[in-house]
Every structure is written in structure tokens, then in C-alpha cells.
Amino acid sequence: MTKPFRLPDPAPYRGALPDAVDLAIIGGGIIGITTALYAARAGLSVVVLEKGRVAAEQSSRNWGWIRMQGRDFDEIPIMQEAQQLWQDLDTDSNGAMGLRSCGVTYLARDAAKMDLYRDWLEKAKPYGVSSQILDRAQIDQMLGTPKGDWIGGLNTPTDMKAEPDVAVPLMGDLARDAGAQIIEGCAVRGLDMVAGKVAGVVTEAGKIACDQVVLAGGAWSPLFLRQHGISIPQTSVRNTACATSPVSGPEMTCAVDPDFAMRPREDGGFTLAPSTDTDVYIGPDVIRLMRWYLPFVFSGGFKVSLRPPAPKHFPDALFTARRWNDANETPFERMRILSPKPDMKKVAATVKAFNRAWPDTAEATVADAWAGMIDVLPDVVPVVDRVEKLPGLTVATGMCGHGFGIGPAFGRILADMVQGRDVGYDMTRFRLSRFSDGSPMVPGPNV
Ligand SMILES: Cc1cc2nc3c(=O)[nH]c(=O)nc-3n(C[C@H](O)[C@H](O)[C@H](O)COP(=O)(O)OP(=O)(O)OC[C@H]3O[C@@H](n4cnc5c(N)ncnc54)[C@H](O)[C@@H]3O)c2cc1C
């Protein structure tokens, strides 16, 4: 198995496969783990099947922002619940998740960007967000007088951060304490369909009977769905990040400008990233899905670079199998942990931009660098829905680079959804059928 990504070794979650459960969850990221937690607390027998390690893909590699700011308006109420759940979960873990209300600030260099911020704020205000427009003097006051040509910004003081590689495994412990079984190193190869309905999952270690399955497979979900005849226009993009050694100078807050994004870490350093700068590996699926993404690329809100073919065994690599027999090894077992190489040139440029803004940080060294594949959809909101054509399957995927913050609320929603309960929100925006029912794509806010 691939080396774990800053997670405890040996894997804490092992155990024999159960014969039957109420709910099987595919994927041990934040979505799968929190679904397991709330379903187990509701009294369901639950198993999480994770091909690699809990939180080893996106859920431990992200920036750690838990933000309301800039969200799609249909996500805001769900995010409000998520921020409450984060506090509850942190309390349940004795405050060990590194959770802080440190605020999030977007920094603008021009009036056009400020207009986008004002527009978002105007529409978000009715939801009761704490967000506010900042002028330059307020930025100086809030961020410790940085050097930078910003004219203003958008700030949400109640937004939070946590330590992803600590928080999600702790959520795993809470799920296990609630009675969920978590099995690492166990790929799900496919669904066991009987009479047109889900009757179980086929794993590399055998079958488990169940009539409810949640697919929370992150970057791997489209591959899994396609095997069962469901096509979604989800692809993945690479985002590089790094951690600095402890620094003094900047205020302990999250902020982003066109050249860098920053988040204070519990170890005194910062997690930095090259803002919205992402890489797309060319692969058969990216080419096939290109038409969905062209409007997004031309919208100009993101810097997207095309890269050479996706590395071997990546979900969209040329020779990754798109169809398989469940009796044999599948693509999920060939890559236990999706771990793209970070772009070290981007790391250097990001640290330089951070140093320029806070010259006192020039002594900081790069303590760690990594990258993650972010699962994206063309309208930049996820799918959280039951799959009509496969009764018994519910899918939660395409979290579009913001599933860490909202994760616990989607976990709670999914746990209710599989029980046929009212989930408390209108989930139309997150329906699977929006990609096939002729609906126009309505992209989320691009601030
Ligand atoms: C660099 C970076 C920065 C980000 N910053 C933020 C941020 O600041 N705030 C924020 O809210 N979000 C952020 N995100 C996005 C966030 O991390 C993701 O949206 C979230 O973690 C997705 O969680 P998930 O559980 O859906 O997927 P993942 O964490 O990717 O987990 C999916 C899991 O499913 C497993 N799996 C897949 N297929 C199978 C199978 N067949 N059998 C068994 N297991 C399987 C995989 O091994 C994987 O562990 C960022 C992401 C990255 C990469």
C-alpha cells in the first residue's frame, strides 16, 4: 500500500467483513465518515469501506477552511448547520480538531473584484451571514499591515478553520464509538444488484449484504458509477499546497489573493497554496467532458493549466480500466491513495508572494509540500442525491473544492436520506438529474 499521508501508521481501522449491514458506505473521506457517524448515532448498522486509508485523499490534503464566504446560495443554510456541527464534533473530541473561528478574507486588487464581492454579499445577507466589505485601512488592521496592492476585501469573521489530517480521523473515532465499523484497505469493486435493486456491495474481500449504499468516492466516483451505467460530468484537478515552519507577522486568519491562499496552522506555521491555480491532467474523460467546462474556463475566475497525460493508475489515466469484472482486481485497488506530486515551482512562487506581503516571514522554510486531486462538477456544486436508476444507491460527490467545511452537514443529510427521512432542505440544486434533464447549467458564485 502507498505510504500514508501524514496519518497514523499502522492503520487503526481493520477487522473482518460483516455479512450484512443496514448501510454500506464507499469511501472514508469526510463525507463517508460523517455519514457513518450520524447513521450509526441514529441506530443503523454501518460499515465504511475505504480502499486506502481514512482521509488519505482530499480530506487530509485540503487547506482546512470552513467557510460560508463565497458559497452558492443553496449551500449557505447547509453550511450554517455544518459550522454548528463542527463545533459539536470538536467538543466531542475534546477540542482536538484545531477548530478556530479565525475568519476568512478575500483580498481584491481591483474594483471589478470588489463589485463581485458586493454582489455576493447583497444576495447572501438575507441568510444572516456575518460577512462584511473591508476597505484598505480595515485590511491593515485585520491582517497585521501586510504589504500588497489590495484596495479592499470581503471578510466573514465567523468562518473557521481546522486541521484536516487530525480532524477527519477524529471523526472516524467518533463514528467507531457510535458503533460504525470502518475497514481500511478494502476496495468496493461494484454493487450487487438483484432484481434491479441494490442488494449489497462486492468488495475485494467478499460480499456484504445491504439494501442501502452511499457512494462518497471523491475523485473515483464517476469511474464507479460508469461501471453501473451512470455517467456524470465530474473530473478532477490538481491543487498544490505547502506548510511553512512557524512564523511571526501575519495575523492568525485565513486569506486569499490571486497569488496565494493562507491558513494558520496549530503548529504556528501556515498552510499556503497558489490560490485558485489548478492543473488539469489530460485524459480520455477530460477530453470527453471538455464541453461542460469551457464556460467555466472562460469565466476567468480560475487559473487552469493543462498538464501531460494523467499518471499511471489515476482515475483518468489512459490505461485505467473503465469496465471490469468484479471477480478481478479493479482500478481502486491499483491506486490505494491518489497522491499527485506537488508542483514545486508553484510552491516557491506561493511562498515568495506570502513573504512579499509579510516580509517578517522571509525566514520561514517549507516544512512540507503536497497536492490533491479535487473532484469538480461544471456548476461548482456537488451531487447529493439518490440514484433513481439504481434503487438503494445514494451518491455524494463532486464537492468542488469545498467539501471539507460543509462535510459534516452533508453527512447528517445523507444519514437521514438513506433512512427516508426529511433532510430539512430543498436539495433540488444538488440533484443528479441536472446533467441529463436538459437543465441549463447554473454555475455557483465566482468570487
Ligand atoms: C488542495 C486542496 C485544498 C482544499 N481546500 C479546501 C478547503 O479549504 N475547504 C473545503 O471545504 N474544502 C477544501 N478542499 C476540498 C475538500 O478537501 C473535499 O471537498 C473533501 O475532502 C471531499 O471529501 P470526500 O469524502 O467527498 O472525498 P475524499 O476525501 O477524496 O475521499 C474519498 C475516499 O473514497 C475512497 N474510495 C473511492 N473509491 C473507492 C472504492 N471503490 N472503494 C473504497 N474506497 C473508495 C478514496 O480512497 C478516498 O479516501 C480542498 C481539496 C484539496 C485537494
Side-chain angles (χ1 to χ4, degrees):
M1 191 183 296
T2 320
K3 188 169 165 279
F5 178 75
R6 298 188 289 137
L7 295 169
D9 204 22
Y13 304 115
R14 291 271 172 223
L17 227 54
D19 293 330
V21 288
D22 296 326
L23 171 64
I25 297 169
I26 305 169
I30 191 165
I31 302 297
I33 289 293
T34 53
T35 304
L37 168 62
Y38 294 112
R41 284 186 179 173
L44 269 59
S45 60
V46 181
V47 66
V48 178
L49 300 153
E50 167 52 56
K51 67 181 171 57
R53 299 287 310 276
V54 163
E57 296 195 350
Q58 294 178 87
S59 292
S60 61
R61 295 163 189 261
N62 62 73
W63 300 354
W65 293 26
I66 301 168
R67 65 171 172 87
M68 186 80 66
Q69 181 157 300
R71 286 258 168 195
D72 186 88
F73 304 108
D74 285 305
E75 285 183 340
I76 289 179
I78 300 174
M79 193 60 216
Q80 279 160 338
E81 178 185 345
Q83 290 191 334
Q84 183 56 55
L85 292 177
W86 266 102
Q87 294 179 57
D88 299 343
L89 294 171
D90 188 48
T91 304
D92 294 345
S93 301
N94 302 316
M97 292 184 175
L99 186 73
R100 310 230 177 276
S101 294
C102 60
V104 159
T105 306
Y106 292 178
L107 298 159
R109 292 184 186 160
D110 55 51
K113 202 76 184 168
M114 290 302 293
D115 287 346
L116 283 178
Y117 295 166
R118 282 196 194 91
D119 186 50
W120 180 83
L121 182 55
E122 202 50 43
K123 292 179 183 140
K125 255 187 199 151
Y127 297 93
V129 299
S130 68
S131 314
Q132 52 187 342
I133 293 291
L134 302 181
D135 61 22
R136 177 63 209 222
Q138 289 168 307
I139 286 176
D140 285 346
Q141 199 181 9
M142 197 167 278
L143 296 185
T145 321
K147 299 201 183 318
D149 51 357
W150 307 300
I151 60 168
L154 177 67
N155 164 267
T156 303
T158 48
D159 275 351
M160 308 171 183
K161 69 95 190 166
E163 298 298 325
D165 52 338
V166 176
V168 183
L170 284 173
M171 291 174 189
D173 292 349
L174 293 176
R176 190 183 46 192
D177 294 349
Q181 190 181 351
I182 300 174
I183 305 180
E184 296 184 306
C186 185
V188 179
R189 293 177 168 175
L191 299 170
D192 183 20
M193 300 296 295
V194 175
K197 287 188 191 159
V198 169
V201 286
V202 182
T203 81
E204 61 181 299
K207 274 189 193 176
I208 302 174
C210 61
D211 55 17
Q212 294 294 328
V213 174
V214 167
L215 172 63
W220 301 91
S221 300
L223 208 54
F224 190 93
L225 287 170
R226 225 166 123 185
Q227 167 82 348
H228 291 280
I230 308 287
S231 171
I232 54 167
Q234 180 186 309
T235 187
S236 299
V237 297
R238 179 180 72 162
N239 192 265
T240 288
C242 70
T244 72
S245 57
V247 295
S248 56
E251 289 301 312
M252 291 291 139
T253 179
C254 297
V256 64
D257 104 326
D259 294 330
F260 69 91
M262 63 189 233
R263 191 264 294 173
R265 301 166 58 86
E266 290 303 283
D267 60 15
F270 275 80
T271 289
L272 302 179
S275 194
T276 57
D277 197 338
T278 53
D279 303 310
V280 176
Y281 289 117
I282 312 282
D285 295 332
V286 158
I287 293 169
R288 187 174 53 84
L289 297 173
M290 196 72 92
R291 70 180 175 91
W292 288 94
Y293 288 92
L294 289 179
F296 178 77
V297 171
F298 291 129
S299 73
F302 289 78
K303 280 188 244 164
V304 181
S305 318
L306 292 181
R307 298 285 163 194
K312 197 174 170 190
H313 299 321
F314 270 42
D316 194 18
L318 187 58
F319 296 112
T320 294
R322 266 64 178 182
R323 287 268 185 273
W324 54 85
N325 178 333
D326 288 350
N328 302 324
E329 192 187 50
T330 64
F332 311 115
E333 293 139 87
R334 293 193 188 110
M335 176 145 287
R336 296 284 176 181
I337 298 176
L338 182 59
S339 185
K341 283 202 174 91
D343 180 332
M344 294 312 287
K345 277 192 190 150
K346 286 187 183 173
V347 167
T350 303
V351 174
K352 215 167 157 185
F354 178 65
N355 295 157
R356 258 199 315 273
W358 287 276
D360 287 353
T361 64
E363 302 290 298
T365 53
V366 175
D368 199 358
W370 65 92
M373 295 303 290
I374 299 181
D375 52 345
V376 293
L377 284 164
D379 49 4
V380 207
V381 288
V383 166
V384 180
D385 200 2
R386 289 179 167 278
V387 181
E388 236 173 75
K389 286 188 188 153
L390 301 169
L393 178 67
T394 302
V395 65
T397 193
M399 293 287 147
C400 299
H402 51 259
F404 177 68
I406 207 167
F410 276 137
R412 197 282 301 156
I413 286 169
L414 287 156
D416 280 341
M417 211 177 248
V418 298
Q419 295 175 81
R421 292 189 183 162
D422 177 12
V423 302
Y425 303 103
D426 176 0
M427 298 294 285
T428 310
R429 178 84 169 121
F430 311 108
R431 73 196 187 285
L432 178 61
S433 63
R434 67 187 193 266
F435 302 114
S436 54
D437 63 7
S439 313
M441 281 295 93
V442 183
N446 182 8
V447 292

